[in-house]
Amino acid sequence: HQWMLHQARVYKATGDEKYVKAWIEIYFDWLKNFPCGEGKTYDLPWWALQPATRAYDQMSIFNYYVGAESFTPGVLSNFLVAFHTHIKNITLNWYDTEGSNVRLTQEQTVFTAGVLMPEFKDAPSWYEAGKSAVAAQVHNQFHEDGVHNEFDLGYHIGAVATFYDIYKVAQVNGKESDLPSDFIASLKNAATFVKDIMYPDYSMEIINDTHADSWN
């Protein structure tokens, strides 16, 4: 569903309701055809990275579409139910490897949902779970020299970017003090490593699962 966020940005730029209508049709049809199971699941559409990345993007998609004419109260209700289902699914299906990029994405999503969706009665528990996890992950993700534990340059930059996004969300929502006191200092070596491995054109070696794309 990664294209859905780009579609929402096109709507924001054009104001054309056809983009909202297309998203409503496709997203809710997808939910009907791929319902979330109860409890622990290994169903691919609802396992590991998939629901976490969907839910994280949906927080932005919601803000792009919420003022649209086609975003009716009925659509809002269905969207919120589906969003809650996503976060509940994540908290029941934490990825087994705590120091992995997948687990970090899950925790970022739950933390952010707890901050940006406080109207949900479960939001406080989402926030507490995400906050505790993030506090541990800022140390679990990197070795003492700052290198990401999966030895993948793409994942390394992704992890640094994730922590940066977590920090900015906390900062602009008045929750910066809830992060560990050494949050920024803990990322110094990891950020410095990014600077050290990049070529002047912002390219890098293709090691492990890293893509050849430019990171500029």
Side-chain angles (χ1 to χ4, degrees):
H1 292 194
Q2 290 171 314
W3 58 268
M4 289 183 176
L5 180 55
H6 301 299
Q7 184 184 44
R9 289 171 174 155
V10 173
Y11 164 73
K12 189 67 174 180
T14 64
D16 193 330
E17 289 281 327
K18 71 179 182 182
Y19 296 107
V20 192
K21 293 176 181 177
W23 169 76
I24 292 170
E25 178 184 357
I26 294 170
Y27 179 50
F28 292 113
D29 182 71
W30 185 90
L31 288 168
K32 184 187 302 183
N33 283 281
F34 298 94
C36 181
E38 293 292 332
K40 192 74 174 176
T41 178
Y42 291 98
D43 184 23
L44 185 59
W46 291 96
W47 183 74
L49 203 57
Q50 279 68 243
T53 54
R54 279 201 308 270
Y56 190 79
D57 282 351
Q58 283 167 11
M59 286 181 271
S60 294
I61 290 170
F62 172 76
N63 280 289
Y64 285 125
Y65 285 152
V66 69
E69 181 180 340
S70 303
F71 203 92
T72 64
V75 172
L76 172 62
S77 296
N78 290 332
F79 174 84
L80 293 176
V81 169
F83 182 82
H84 186 276
T85 298
H86 274 77
I87 304 302
K88 181 180 179 181
N89 168 269
I90 296 169
T91 60
L92 293 174
N93 293 277
W94 293 114
Y95 195 66
D96 293 337
T97 307
E98 292 190 10
S100 68
N101 67 88
V102 175
R103 182 64 174 262
L104 178 59
T105 301
Q106 289 180 317
E107 292 163 350
Q108 177 194 24
T109 299
V110 172
F111 172 84
T112 306
V115 176
L116 298 185
M117 297 293 201
E119 296 84 0
F120 283 107
K121 66 180 181 180
D122 290 335
S125 63
W126 296 344
Y127 180 67
E128 289 301 319
K131 182 180 70 173
S132 299
V134 166
Q137 286 284 33
V138 76
H139 300 291
N140 291 343
Q141 288 284 318
F142 303 101
H143 296 282
E144 289 186 11
D145 60 0
V147 177
H148 190 257
N149 57 30
E150 294 189 67
F151 300 111
D152 182 292
L153 304 182
Y155 291 163
H156 182 108
I157 291 178
V160 173
T162 295
F163 284 116
Y164 176 76
D165 289 345
I166 288 169
Y167 178 78
K168 293 300 293 184
V169 166
Q171 185 183 51
V172 300
N173 287 280
K175 296 183 180 295
E176 183 180 354
S177 61
D178 287 350
L179 296 176
S181 57
D182 64 344
F183 187 85
I184 296 299
S186 299
L187 296 173
K188 183 176 180 180
N189 284 344
T192 300
F193 181 71
V194 174
K195 179 184 69 175
D196 291 343
I197 62 172
M198 277 194 167
Y199 293 112
D201 64 352
Y202 297 101
S203 64
M204 64 178 72
E205 300 295 345
I206 305 175
I207 296 174
N208 204 342
D209 207 23
T210 302
H211 299 291
D213 311 53
S214 171
W215 286 87
N216 61 349

